[in-house]
Structures are given as structure tokens and as C-alpha cells.
Amino acid sequence: MDVNELFWQAPIDDLKKGYIDQATHFTCLLCGEKVEKGIIYPQEGLLYEAEKMIQHHITLAHHSVFHYLNGLNKKMTGLTEHQSHILRLFYEGKSDQEIKEELEIGSATTIRHHRFALKEKERQAKTLMVMMELLKEQDQKEEPFVPIHKTATMVDDRYNVTLTEEQQLLEKLFPNGVGKELVRFPKREKQKIVVLRAIANLFDQEKHYTEKELNEVIKPMYEDYVHIRRYLIEYGFLDRKADGSAYWVKK
């Protein structure tokens, strides 16, 4: 199970921590980093057991779970950029007066209005979560959908694809298996997502690739590898340095 599936399936308590306790290791739900149990990890003159190490990783790599989630695409959070900014200031313990001065807002009443609006969103989110949980219990036949990668740049109906549909499409377009020749690169957005997701899963999440190395993975699948490479970046599966000297799986 990849990190996106782990993230979306994790209980809220695990999401709040940012990691999940598995049989032999702890896994970061934000990036997939794994810390093996039973090992003592030296870091900056200190010794960490496994769970403390994964907590240390989250602080170093993501600042905090809150900051990571707050930085997600607004389609993921349901917040405007302005709301995300104010929410971060609330989290960091800023007073209404400090926020007013930092944002150059004329009145503290405006800050209180934002607090109320965010509380309203919280109530709506809780209500929806309960209804969706009840729906899952009632509708046991519901097919799971392809999980949306957290770094998606466009979140809309193109993700309305079940796991069964995904498997059938991959078998059709990659008759010899993913990583082998791609019959055609689809024009339909839903099918593009499925193909790009499958290709992105071929890359090592911890590795930085040169452009040549990236091309060598894609070339056996599709002649126009530049086309695929561009879409992997555009759809938020991969990221790269501005000069194109390094590419990596976006987390």
C-alpha cells in the first residue's frame, strides 16, 4: 500500500500524530519514511528509539503535521489561501492583535469573524464525517476509488475512478505489465491519471533522478517520453529542480 492510500485510510488519531505503527516499523503518513523498530538511532548527539525517531523525522522534514496539512492544495483542505494563513497564525499562538498587525487588518473584529467561520467549517466537517461513516456501514457494496495523491494539482471529477476500473484499464493499456510498452497514452483525463499514477509508482520515493535516469525508466513504455515526463510534473506526481538537474517523487 503506497503512502497516499495509507494517508487516506488512516484513523484521525494516527493522522494527528503523522505516523502509523506497523508490525516491524513506524511509517510517516506524510512522506512514507520508515523507521525500523528495535534500533537505537543517534541524531545530533542524542539517542532515539524508533517511535521518538519518527517523531523527530516529522519535526525535521515537515515542521509539524499541522504545517504539512495546512500547506496542502486548497482542494484538499477546503480552505482559501487567506484562511490557511490565518489558521497557521492561530496554531502558532498569535493573539488577535498580533494577527491584525501582521495581516494589516483594520479591526480585531475581522479576526474574530475568521475564528467563527473556521469553527463553522469544523462543525460541517464533523457532520459530514459522521454521515460518510454511516454510509460506509450501510453500503457494504461500495467500490473503493483510486486514492487522490496529496500533491495533486487538479482535484475534480477526473478522480472518479474505482480500483476495479483502474486495474482493467492498466491491463488494457499495459498488456505486458506496467513498466513495459504502453499501447497508447490516453486523451481522457480519468485515464491519464490512472496511467500517470502507475508510472509514478515505478520510481523510488527516496531517490533523486537525473533527467537521463528518469527518461530511461519512461522510454521502454512510451516513445514520446518527454510528453510523459511533462505530465508527471504537471499533475503533481513528480517534482524537479528549476534547472532540470534532479527529479523526485513529490510527497
Side-chain angles (χ1 to χ4, degrees):
M1 186 180 295
D2 69 23
V3 68
N4 282 303
E5 291 176 89
L6 281 175
F7 180 88
W8 293 119
Q9 292 183 19
I12 286 182
D13 285 345
D14 286 338
L15 284 174
K16 286 168 62 178
K17 293 188 300 183
Y19 63 91
I20 189 169
D21 184 346
Q22 298 184 294
T24 59
H25 54 272
F26 294 97
T27 301
C28 176
L29 291 168
L30 312 182
C31 69
E33 177 78 14
K34 296 181 186 298
V35 175
E36 187 176 348
K37 294 179 181 179
I39 296 177
I40 300 298
Y41 297 86
Q43 284 285 319
E44 301 170 355
L46 298 174
L47 298 176
Y48 294 85
E49 50 86 21
E51 188 162 14
K52 288 293 184 183
M53 187 60 202
I54 195 69
Q55 293 168 355
H56 184 59
H57 157 78
I58 288 172
T59 300
L60 286 180
H62 309 293
H63 192 179
S64 72
V65 175
F66 177 91
H67 285 87
Y68 176 85
L69 296 176
N70 193 51
L72 291 176
N73 186 290
K74 65 181 180 181
K75 285 285 190 177
M76 298 292 178
T77 64
L79 301 172
T80 66
E81 186 175 338
H82 187 60
Q83 287 173 325
S84 292
H85 189 182
I86 288 178
L87 194 60
R88 177 176 59 78
L89 295 176
F90 288 157
Y91 180 81
E92 293 172 354
K94 300 287 180 71
S95 68
D96 287 1
Q97 182 62 30
E98 289 172 325
I99 294 172
K100 180 173 93 64
E101 293 172 1
E102 180 167 336
L103 298 181
E104 299 181 346
I105 294 174
S107 169
T109 303
T110 305
I111 306 299
R112 290 195 293 274
H113 171 74
H114 282 295
R115 286 186 185 275
F116 178 83
L118 288 167
K119 285 290 185 181
E120 187 70 16
K121 277 187 171 288
E122 179 188 20
R123 290 189 287 270
Q124 292 168 348
K126 282 184 177 178
T127 302
L128 179 59
M129 283 186 64
V130 172
M131 289 192 296
M132 292 304 293
E133 286 298 316
L134 292 171
L135 176 61
K136 288 177 188 175
E137 293 174 9
Q138 181 73 14
D139 187 7
Q140 298 295 327
K141 297 179 181 178
E142 179 189 13
E143 276 203 79
F145 289 90
V146 173
I148 302 173
H149 57 291
K150 302 189 299 297
T151 54
T153 53
M154 296 161 279
V155 181
D156 51 30
D157 192 54
R158 72 190 73 197
Y159 287 93
N160 183 14
V161 181
T162 67
L163 292 177
T164 299
E165 290 173 328
E166 178 189 48
Q167 186 58 39
Q168 291 172 344
L169 182 63
L170 291 177
E171 289 174 359
K172 179 180 178 180
L173 295 179
F174 290 101
N176 297 313
V178 177
K180 304 297 183 181
E181 185 178 2
L182 173 64
V183 173
R184 60 179 174 79
F185 187 70
K187 293 182 179 180
R188 292 183 61 191
E189 290 297 315
K190 290 181 182 182
Q191 296 180 355
K192 280 182 187 175
I193 291 289
V194 169
V195 169
L196 292 170
R197 168 182 153 88
I199 293 174
N201 285 338
L202 297 174
F203 294 99
D204 184 342
Q205 292 198 2
E206 305 306 319
K207 180 177 177 179
H208 277 55
Y209 293 83
T210 64
E211 187 173 290
K212 181 180 179 182
E213 290 172 331
L214 193 76
N215 293 342
E216 286 174 352
V217 175
I218 302 172
K219 276 182 183 179
M221 292 180 278
Y222 198 65
E223 184 179 12
D224 189 356
Y225 55 88
V226 175
H227 188 71
I228 299 290
R229 190 180 70 212
R230 184 174 67 250
Y231 272 122
L232 287 168
I233 300 292
E234 182 179 329
Y235 281 69
F237 288 101
L238 300 185
D239 206 348
R240 66 173 184 174
K241 288 187 176 180
D243 62 1
S245 61
Y247 294 77
W248 59 91
V249 176
K250 198 170 181 179
K251 299 178 183 179

